[in-house]
Amino acid sequence: ELPMTIARAGLGNAYVVSMRTHYVNYALDELRELGNPWLEAVLRVALNALGAVLDFGRVDDINIVGNALFSTNLHPALSLEQLTQITCSLTSLHPRSAVAFRSVHRRDSRLPEFLRELGYRLIPARSVTFVPTRGVGFQRKRDVRQDAKLLENGAYTVRRIAQPSAAECQRIAVLYDSLYIQKYSAHNPRFTPALIETAARTQLLEFIALEREDGTANGRMDGVIGFYAQHGYLTVPILGY
């Protein structure tokens, strides 16, 4: 079974379900990083023009297969026959809507090849870094060594949270929101305490907290990750500190 989102235009959705938000709205937010007012003005005009074209083409009338509402979806090894059945079924049920797959990559995957064969177009979305962790080589990376040293010498402990309490769900949501919504962009998905509770209870996500020791049984949670692993890969859709 695969999760799927059925989105329609004009709802102001986050980029994980809206192509317009992904390619136009989010990009408009990122223009401030350029530090060049003239270039920003030119690109703003271009992006708004692209948005008008995409709106005319009803780009957000779209069904996204395998979409778990996370920044990165982990797809199983679908066969060409399965992808054909999925495509035919969705185009029959929703003839006026596009069919899409997010987080498509060629690393140990024939998904791009099969989708091309079925008439899909591959559109660049964003860069993703793959880090091999089956061996110990990654532990020699500078960032990993620095983090390990900070953890060893600092006042923090790491705790896996099997089932967060209501207060912990609220804290996780606040930490995520302060980073991804307030600092980065309001077009990121908003993960509420209710979603976090459900994700933990159903084991959709596992949570690990970074807590500052304060002499009590429960330290202050200053950092958290929510991760899941499938089909040989692990990704962290929830990060906050």
Side-chain angles (χ1 to χ4, degrees), residues 8 19 33 59 62 80 94 123 135 150 166 174 187 202 213 237:
R8 296 295 175 258
M19 297 299 99
E33 301 294 331
V59 69
I62 190 168
L80 179 60
H94 308 280
I123 304 172
L150 283 171
V174 167
H187 300 302
T202 61
E213 298 177 348

Side-chain angles (χ1 to χ4, degrees), residues 5 37 54 122 130 136 150:
T5 56
L54 295 181
L122 299 184
F130 291 86
V136 296
L150 283 171

